[in-house]
Amino acid sequence: FPEYSQTLPHVHVLDLEPTGVIKPHVDSVRYCGTTISGISLLSDSIMKLVQSKVDPYTVSDDYRSQPKVSDDNLYSCKVLVRRYSLYVMSFSARYNFTHEILKNEESFFKNQHIEKGRRISVICRNEP
């Protein structure tokens, strides 16, 4: 985390069943600062990032609102998130891209199917 910021005092634990997904979203600026980090446990998974044309500072107060995204946006990528790995999203990746965990039917990385089992992730954020 940036040295000028305070880490939030609580972590967020997500327990995702094998058939579960995390829909595309940009974390609310009301609850999270410049950086999000996560430790991914139990299973490999595919995280997809898609450039968002939504300014996170002008999104409605409904922090669960999810911007519509599609592959015809300017930039997108899939990231192989290995079990026991640490990932960090900050600044542009955090504010300008949605992130999601794909369902098994869509979980391909370099033309290889990545079967997702139960996934637990421990998420830490800094203060807004």
Side-chain angles (χ1 to χ4, degrees), residues 1 3-4 9 13-14 18 26 28 31 34 40-41 43 51-52 58 60-61 64 86 90 103 108 112:
F1 291 97
E3 60 189 41
Y4 56 81
V13 178
L14 298 173
V26 175
S28 173
Y31 302 108
T34 60
S40 185
L41 304 173
S43 177
Q51 184 179 25
S52 173
T58 60
S60 73
D61 285 338
R64 295 192 183 275
L86 169 69
S90 60
K103 58 185 170 182
F108 287 87
Q112 180 181 354

PDB file of all heavy atoms in Angstrom, residues 1 3-4 9 13-14 18 26 28 31 34 40-41 43 51-52 58 60-61 64 86 90 103 108 112:
ATOM      1  N   PHE A   1       0.840  -1.182   0.000  1.00  0.00           N
ATOM      2  CA  PHE A   1       0.000   0.000   0.000  1.00  0.00           C
ATOM      3  C   PHE A   1       0.885   1.245   0.000  1.00  0.00           C
ATOM      4  O   PHE A   1       1.970   1.228   0.563  1.00  0.00           O
ATOM      5  CB  PHE A   1      -0.922  -0.005   1.209  1.00  0.00           C
ATOM      6  CG  PHE A   1      -1.974  -1.074   1.133  1.00  0.00           C
ATOM      7  CD1 PHE A   1      -1.800  -2.285   1.764  1.00  0.00           C
ATOM      8  CD2 PHE A   1      -3.139  -0.863   0.410  1.00  0.00           C
ATOM      9  CE1 PHE A   1      -2.765  -3.273   1.690  1.00  0.00           C
ATOM     10  CE2 PHE A   1      -4.115  -1.837   0.324  1.00  0.00           C
ATOM     11  CZ  PHE A   1      -3.932  -3.039   0.959  1.00  0.00           C
ATOM     12  N   GLU A   3       2.673   4.526   1.050  1.00  0.00           N
ATOM     13  CA  GLU A   3       3.091   4.889   2.406  1.00  0.00           C
ATOM     14  C   GLU A   3       2.259   6.012   3.008  1.00  0.00           C
ATOM     15  O   GLU A   3       2.182   6.145   4.226  1.00  0.00           O
ATOM     16  CB  GLU A   3       4.566   5.262   2.415  1.00  0.00           C
ATOM     17  CG  GLU A   3       4.897   6.435   1.518  1.00  0.00           C
ATOM     18  CD  GLU A   3       6.393   6.659   1.372  1.00  0.00           C
ATOM     19  OE1 GLU A   3       7.133   5.692   1.243  1.00  0.00           O
ATOM     20  OE2 GLU A   3       6.775   7.830   1.392  1.00  0.00           O
ATOM     21  N   TYR A   4       1.600   6.808   2.178  1.00  0.00           N
ATOM     22  CA  TYR A   4       0.806   7.928   2.675  1.00  0.00           C
ATOM     23  C   TYR A   4      -0.613   7.518   3.070  1.00  0.00           C
ATOM     24  O   TYR A   4      -1.388   8.339   3.529  1.00  0.00           O
ATOM     25  CB  TYR A   4       0.731   9.041   1.624  1.00  0.00           C
ATOM     26  CG  TYR A   4       0.185   8.571   0.294  1.00  0.00           C
ATOM     27  CD1 TYR A   4      -1.185   8.441   0.074  1.00  0.00           C
ATOM     28  CD2 TYR A   4       1.048   8.208  -0.726  1.00  0.00           C
ATOM     29  CE1 TYR A   4      -1.682   7.985  -1.138  1.00  0.00           C
ATOM     30  CE2 TYR A   4       0.559   7.756  -1.943  1.00  0.00           C
ATOM     31  CZ  TYR A   4      -0.796   7.660  -2.144  1.00  0.00           C
ATOM     32  OH  TYR A   4      -1.280   7.197  -3.344  1.00  0.00           O
ATOM     33  N   PRO A   9      -8.899  -1.182   8.823  1.00  0.00           N
ATOM     34  CA  PRO A   9      -8.621  -2.074   9.953  1.00  0.00           C
ATOM     35  C   PRO A   9      -9.211  -3.474   9.833  1.00  0.00           C
ATOM     36  O   PRO A   9      -8.857  -4.352  10.592  1.00  0.00           O
ATOM     37  CB  PRO A   9      -9.234  -1.333  11.142  1.00  0.00           C
ATOM     38  CG  PRO A   9     -10.294  -0.468  10.547  1.00  0.00           C
ATOM     39  CD  PRO A   9      -9.808  -0.099   9.173  1.00  0.00           C
ATOM     40  N   VAL A  13     -13.446 -11.234   3.651  1.00  0.00           N
ATOM     41  CA  VAL A  13     -13.235 -12.616   3.243  1.00  0.00           C
ATOM     42  C   VAL A  13     -14.387 -13.033   2.333  1.00  0.00           C
ATOM     43  O   VAL A  13     -15.552 -12.914   2.703  1.00  0.00           O
ATOM     44  CB  VAL A  13     -13.154 -13.566   4.462  1.00  0.00           C
ATOM     45  CG1 VAL A  13     -12.978 -15.002   4.016  1.00  0.00           C
ATOM     46  CG2 VAL A  13     -12.016 -13.148   5.384  1.00  0.00           C
ATOM     47  N   LEU A  14     -14.036 -13.493   1.135  1.00  0.00           N
ATOM     48  CA  LEU A  14     -15.038 -13.974   0.182  1.00  0.00           C
ATOM     49  C   LEU A  14     -14.902 -15.486   0.047  1.00  0.00           C
ATOM     50  O   LEU A  14     -13.807 -15.991  -0.180  1.00  0.00           O
ATOM     51  CB  LEU A  14     -14.821 -13.338  -1.196  1.00  0.00           C
ATOM     52  CG  LEU A  14     -14.957 -11.820  -1.272  1.00  0.00           C
ATOM     53  CD1 LEU A  14     -14.551 -11.333  -2.649  1.00  0.00           C
ATOM     54  CD2 LEU A  14     -16.376 -11.405  -0.962  1.00  0.00           C
ATOM     55  N   PRO A  18     -17.693 -23.469  -6.188  1.00  0.00           N
ATOM     56  CA  PRO A  18     -17.159 -23.745  -7.523  1.00  0.00           C
ATOM     57  C   PRO A  18     -18.000 -23.180  -8.670  1.00  0.00           C
ATOM     58  O   PRO A  18     -17.452 -22.785  -9.698  1.00  0.00           O
ATOM     59  CB  PRO A  18     -17.104 -25.270  -7.583  1.00  0.00           C
ATOM     60  CG  PRO A  18     -16.960 -25.696  -6.165  1.00  0.00           C
ATOM     61  CD  PRO A  18     -17.770 -24.693  -5.374  1.00  0.00           C
ATOM     62  N   VAL A  26     -16.480  -2.107 -10.318  1.00  0.00           N
ATOM     63  CA  VAL A  26     -15.408  -1.250  -9.837  1.00  0.00           C
ATOM     64  C   VAL A  26     -15.759  -0.952  -8.388  1.00  0.00           C
ATOM     65  O   VAL A  26     -16.860  -0.481  -8.099  1.00  0.00           O
ATOM     66  CB  VAL A  26     -15.311   0.066 -10.653  1.00  0.00           C
ATOM     67  CG1 VAL A  26     -14.261   0.987 -10.054  1.00  0.00           C
ATOM     68  CG2 VAL A  26     -15.012  -0.235 -12.113  1.00  0.00           C
ATOM     69  N   SER A  28     -16.425   0.667  -4.943  1.00  0.00           N
ATOM     70  CA  SER A  28     -16.885   2.007  -4.642  1.00  0.00           C
ATOM     71  C   SER A  28     -15.784   2.853  -4.016  1.00  0.00           C
ATOM     72  O   SER A  28     -15.083   2.405  -3.102  1.00  0.00           O
ATOM     73  CB  SER A  28     -18.079   1.945  -3.685  1.00  0.00           C
ATOM     74  OG  SER A  28     -18.434   3.243  -3.264  1.00  0.00           O
ATOM     75  N   TYR A  31     -15.837   3.355  -0.161  1.00  0.00           N
ATOM     76  CA  TYR A  31     -15.387   2.349   0.801  1.00  0.00           C
ATOM     77  C   TYR A  31     -13.950   1.897   0.586  1.00  0.00           C
ATOM     78  O   TYR A  31     -13.466   1.057   1.331  1.00  0.00           O
ATOM     79  CB  TYR A  31     -16.308   1.130   0.741  1.00  0.00           C
ATOM     80  CG  TYR A  31     -17.736   1.489   1.030  1.00  0.00           C
ATOM     81  CD1 TYR A  31     -18.685   1.492   0.027  1.00  0.00           C
ATOM     82  CD2 TYR A  31     -18.133   1.859   2.309  1.00  0.00           C
ATOM     83  CE1 TYR A  31     -20.005   1.842   0.284  1.00  0.00           C
ATOM     84  CE2 TYR A  31     -19.444   2.220   2.580  1.00  0.00           C
ATOM     85  CZ  TYR A  31     -20.366   2.205   1.566  1.00  0.00           C
ATOM     86  OH  TYR A  31     -21.671   2.550   1.820  1.00  0.00           O
ATOM     87  N   THR A  34      -7.009   3.844  -3.036  1.00  0.00           N
ATOM     88  CA  THR A  34      -6.297   3.629  -4.294  1.00  0.00           C
ATOM     89  C   THR A  34      -5.900   2.192  -4.562  1.00  0.00           C
ATOM     90  O   THR A  34      -5.566   1.847  -5.693  1.00  0.00           O
ATOM     91  CB  THR A  34      -5.009   4.460  -4.321  1.00  0.00           C
ATOM     92  OG1 THR A  34      -4.177   4.061  -3.222  1.00  0.00           O
ATOM     93  CG2 THR A  34      -5.309   5.946  -4.247  1.00  0.00           C
ATOM     94  N   SER A  40      -5.524 -15.175  -2.800  1.00  0.00           N
ATOM     95  CA  SER A  40      -6.467 -16.129  -3.373  1.00  0.00           C
ATOM     96  C   SER A  40      -6.108 -17.529  -2.875  1.00  0.00           C
ATOM     97  O   SER A  40      -4.983 -17.977  -3.066  1.00  0.00           O
ATOM     98  CB  SER A  40      -6.389 -16.062  -4.898  1.00  0.00           C
ATOM     99  OG  SER A  40      -7.364 -16.872  -5.472  1.00  0.00           O
ATOM    100  N   LEU A  41      -7.065 -18.198  -2.257  1.00  0.00           N
ATOM    101  CA  LEU A  41      -6.807 -19.507  -1.653  1.00  0.00           C
ATOM    102  C   LEU A  41      -7.637 -20.603  -2.324  1.00  0.00           C
ATOM    103  O   LEU A  41      -8.653 -20.331  -2.954  1.00  0.00           O
ATOM    104  CB  LEU A  41      -7.140 -19.470  -0.160  1.00  0.00           C
ATOM    105  CG  LEU A  41      -6.405 -18.399   0.654  1.00  0.00           C
ATOM    106  CD1 LEU A  41      -6.950 -18.359   2.071  1.00  0.00           C
ATOM    107  CD2 LEU A  41      -4.912 -18.664   0.657  1.00  0.00           C
ATOM    108  N   SER A  43      -8.106 -22.415  -4.911  1.00  0.00           N
ATOM    109  CA  SER A  43      -8.332 -22.760  -6.315  1.00  0.00           C
ATOM    110  C   SER A  43      -7.764 -21.701  -7.247  1.00  0.00           C
ATOM    111  O   SER A  43      -7.778 -20.509  -6.924  1.00  0.00           O
ATOM    112  CB  SER A  43      -9.841 -22.898  -6.574  1.00  0.00           C
ATOM    113  OG  SER A  43     -10.095 -23.173  -7.928  1.00  0.00           O
ATOM    114  N   GLN A  51     -11.734  -2.405 -19.476  1.00  0.00           N
ATOM    115  CA  GLN A  51     -11.735  -0.958 -19.320  1.00  0.00           C
ATOM    116  C   GLN A  51     -13.161  -0.470 -19.139  1.00  0.00           C
ATOM    117  O   GLN A  51     -14.067  -0.865 -19.876  1.00  0.00           O
ATOM    118  CB  GLN A  51     -11.105  -0.299 -20.543  1.00  0.00           C
ATOM    119  CG  GLN A  51     -10.983   1.197 -20.405  1.00  0.00           C
ATOM    120  CD  GLN A  51     -10.340   1.831 -21.614  1.00  0.00           C
ATOM    121  OE1 GLN A  51     -10.386   1.297 -22.705  1.00  0.00           O
ATOM    122  NE2 GLN A  51      -9.736   2.986 -21.411  1.00  0.00           N
ATOM    123  N   SER A  52     -13.349   0.383 -18.160  1.00  0.00           N
ATOM    124  CA  SER A  52     -14.671   0.924 -17.869  1.00  0.00           C
ATOM    125  C   SER A  52     -14.725   2.363 -18.335  1.00  0.00           C
ATOM    126  O   SER A  52     -13.787   3.127 -18.126  1.00  0.00           O
ATOM    127  CB  SER A  52     -14.953   0.857 -16.372  1.00  0.00           C
ATOM    128  OG  SER A  52     -16.157   1.514 -16.074  1.00  0.00           O
ATOM    129  N   THR A  58     -18.364   9.488 -10.283  1.00  0.00           N
ATOM    130  CA  THR A  58     -19.680   9.999 -10.649  1.00  0.00           C
ATOM    131  C   THR A  58     -20.744   8.913 -10.646  1.00  0.00           C
ATOM    132  O   THR A  58     -21.877   9.152 -10.989  1.00  0.00           O
ATOM    133  CB  THR A  58     -19.646  10.653 -12.051  1.00  0.00           C
ATOM    134  OG1 THR A  58     -19.253   9.676 -13.006  1.00  0.00           O
ATOM    135  CG2 THR A  58     -18.702  11.827 -12.084  1.00  0.00           C
ATOM    136  N   SER A  60     -23.565   6.503  -9.149  1.00  0.00           N
ATOM    137  CA  SER A  60     -24.594   6.812  -8.159  1.00  0.00           C
ATOM    138  C   SER A  60     -24.166   6.351  -6.768  1.00  0.00           C
ATOM    139  O   SER A  60     -23.224   5.583  -6.607  1.00  0.00           O
ATOM    140  CB  SER A  60     -25.905   6.124  -8.535  1.00  0.00           C
ATOM    141  OG  SER A  60     -25.807   4.733  -8.303  1.00  0.00           O
ATOM    142  N   ASP A  61     -24.887   6.830  -5.778  1.00  0.00           N
ATOM    143  CA  ASP A  61     -24.584   6.455  -4.403  1.00  0.00           C
ATOM    144  C   ASP A  61     -24.829   4.973  -4.134  1.00  0.00           C
ATOM    145  O   ASP A  61     -24.429   4.456  -3.100  1.00  0.00           O
ATOM    146  CB  ASP A  61     -25.408   7.282  -3.424  1.00  0.00           C
ATOM    147  CG  ASP A  61     -24.873   8.697  -3.304  1.00  0.00           C
ATOM    148  OD1 ASP A  61     -23.685   8.914  -3.625  1.00  0.00           O
ATOM    149  OD2 ASP A  61     -25.638   9.580  -2.897  1.00  0.00           O
ATOM    150  N   ARG A  64     -23.543  -0.734  -5.078  1.00  0.00           N
ATOM    151  CA  ARG A  64     -23.624  -2.033  -5.735  1.00  0.00           C
ATOM    152  C   ARG A  64     -23.915  -1.904  -7.235  1.00  0.00           C
ATOM    153  O   ARG A  64     -24.022  -2.890  -7.927  1.00  0.00           O
ATOM    154  CB  ARG A  64     -24.693  -2.902  -5.081  1.00  0.00           C
ATOM    155  CG  ARG A  64     -24.338  -3.259  -3.653  1.00  0.00           C
ATOM    156  CD  ARG A  64     -25.258  -4.342  -3.127  1.00  0.00           C
ATOM    157  NE  ARG A  64     -24.970  -4.623  -1.748  1.00  0.00           N
ATOM    158  CZ  ARG A  64     -24.046  -5.458  -1.325  1.00  0.00           C
ATOM    159  NH1 ARG A  64     -23.291  -6.085  -2.169  1.00  0.00           N
ATOM    160  NH2 ARG A  64     -23.845  -5.665  -0.040  1.00  0.00           N
ATOM    161  N   LEU A  86      -0.918 -13.681  -4.368  1.00  0.00           N
ATOM    162  CA  LEU A  86      -1.305 -12.341  -3.942  1.00  0.00           C
ATOM    163  C   LEU A  86      -1.491 -11.498  -5.193  1.00  0.00           C
ATOM    164  O   LEU A  86      -0.632 -11.513  -6.084  1.00  0.00           O
ATOM    165  CB  LEU A  86      -0.210 -11.717  -3.075  1.00  0.00           C
ATOM    166  CG  LEU A  86      -0.344 -10.221  -2.769  1.00  0.00           C
ATOM    167  CD1 LEU A  86      -1.520  -9.963  -1.847  1.00  0.00           C
ATOM    168  CD2 LEU A  86       0.943  -9.685  -2.165  1.00  0.00           C
ATOM    169  N   SER A  90      -4.130  -1.319  -8.224  1.00  0.00           N
ATOM    170  CA  SER A  90      -4.038   0.043  -7.718  1.00  0.00           C
ATOM    171  C   SER A  90      -4.133   1.039  -8.859  1.00  0.00           C
ATOM    172  O   SER A  90      -3.914   0.702 -10.027  1.00  0.00           O
ATOM    173  CB  SER A  90      -2.744   0.244  -6.924  1.00  0.00           C
ATOM    174  OG  SER A  90      -1.620   0.002  -7.733  1.00  0.00           O
ATOM    175  N   LYS A 103     -17.065 -17.550 -14.552  1.00  0.00           N
ATOM    176  CA  LYS A 103     -17.627 -18.869 -14.293  1.00  0.00           C
ATOM    177  C   LYS A 103     -16.798 -19.908 -15.041  1.00  0.00           C
ATOM    178  O   LYS A 103     -16.070 -19.589 -15.990  1.00  0.00           O
ATOM    179  CB  LYS A 103     -19.100 -18.928 -14.694  1.00  0.00           C
ATOM    180  CG  LYS A 103     -19.399 -18.610 -16.131  1.00  0.00           C
ATOM    181  CD  LYS A 103     -20.904 -18.594 -16.347  1.00  0.00           C
ATOM    182  CE  LYS A 103     -21.258 -18.053 -17.708  1.00  0.00           C
ATOM    183  NZ  LYS A 103     -22.702 -17.986 -17.915  1.00  0.00           N
ATOM    184  N   PHE A 108     -10.931 -19.595 -19.402  1.00  0.00           N
ATOM    185  CA  PHE A 108      -9.854 -20.028 -20.286  1.00  0.00           C
ATOM    186  C   PHE A 108      -8.710 -19.032 -20.191  1.00  0.00           C
ATOM    187  O   PHE A 108      -8.937 -17.820 -20.136  1.00  0.00           O
ATOM    188  CB  PHE A 108     -10.331 -20.124 -21.740  1.00  0.00           C
ATOM    189  CG  PHE A 108     -11.231 -21.294 -21.986  1.00  0.00           C
ATOM    190  CD1 PHE A 108     -12.592 -21.191 -21.786  1.00  0.00           C
ATOM    191  CD2 PHE A 108     -10.698 -22.510 -22.393  1.00  0.00           C
ATOM    192  CE1 PHE A 108     -13.427 -22.277 -22.002  1.00  0.00           C
ATOM    193  CE2 PHE A 108     -11.522 -23.600 -22.605  1.00  0.00           C
ATOM    194  CZ  PHE A 108     -12.887 -23.483 -22.409  1.00  0.00           C
ATOM    195  N   GLN A 112      -6.303 -22.627 -22.562  1.00  0.00           N
ATOM    196  CA  GLN A 112      -6.371 -23.746 -21.622  1.00  0.00           C
ATOM    197  C   GLN A 112      -7.505 -23.497 -20.631  1.00  0.00           C
ATOM    198  O   GLN A 112      -7.604 -22.412 -20.052  1.00  0.00           O
ATOM    199  CB  GLN A 112      -5.049 -23.906 -20.865  1.00  0.00           C
ATOM    200  CG  GLN A 112      -5.063 -25.048 -19.884  1.00  0.00           C
ATOM    201  CD  GLN A 112      -3.736 -25.172 -19.132  1.00  0.00           C
ATOM    202  OE1 GLN A 112      -2.779 -24.491 -19.411  1.00  0.00           O
ATOM    203  NE2 GLN A 112      -3.717 -26.060 -18.159  1.00  0.00           N
TER     204      GLN A 112
END
